[in-house]
Coordinates of all heavy atoms in Angstrom, one line a residue:
I40 N 5.5 5.9 -6.5 CA 6.5 6.7 -5.7 C 7.9 6.4 -6.1 O 8.7 7.3 -6.5 CB 6.2 6.4 -4.2 CG1 4.7 6.7 -3.8 CG2 7.2 7.2 -3.3 CD1 4.3 8.1 -3.8
D230 N -0.2 0.6 3.2 CA -0.3 0.7 1.7 C -0.8 -0.6 1.2 O -0.1 -1.3 0.4 CB 1.0 1.1 1.1 CG 1.0 1.5 -0.3 OD1 -0.2 1.6 -0.8 OD2 2.0 1.7 -0.9
N235 N 0.1 -5.1 -3.8 CA 1.2 -5.2 -2.9 C 1.2 -6.6 -2.2 O 1.9 -6.8 -1.2 CB 1.2 -4.1 -1.8 CG 1.8 -2.8 -2.4 OD1 2.7 -2.9 -3.3 ND2 1.5 -1.7 -1.8
D250 N 6.3 -4.0 -0.6 CA 6.2 -2.6 -0.4 C 6.0 -2.2 1.1 O 5.0 -1.8 1.5 CB 5.0 -2.0 -1.2 CG 5.1 -0.5 -1.3 OD1 6.0 0.1 -0.7 OD2 4.3 0.1 -2.0
D252 N 7.6 0.3 2.7 CA 8.1 1.6 3.0 C 7.2 2.4 4.0 O 7.7 3.2 4.8 CB 8.2 2.4 1.8 CG 9.2 1.9 0.8 OD1 10.2 1.3 1.4 OD2 9.1 2.1 -0.4
T253 N 5.9 2.1 4.0 CA 5.1 2.9 4.9 C 4.7 2.2 6.1 O 3.7 2.6 6.8 CB 3.8 3.4 4.1 OG1 3.3 2.2 3.4 CG2 4.1 4.5 3.2
Ligands
MG2 MG1 3.8 2.1 -1.7

Side-chain angles (χ1 to χ4, degrees):
I40 306 289
D230 192 6
N235 277 335
D250 193 356
D252 291 334
T253 45

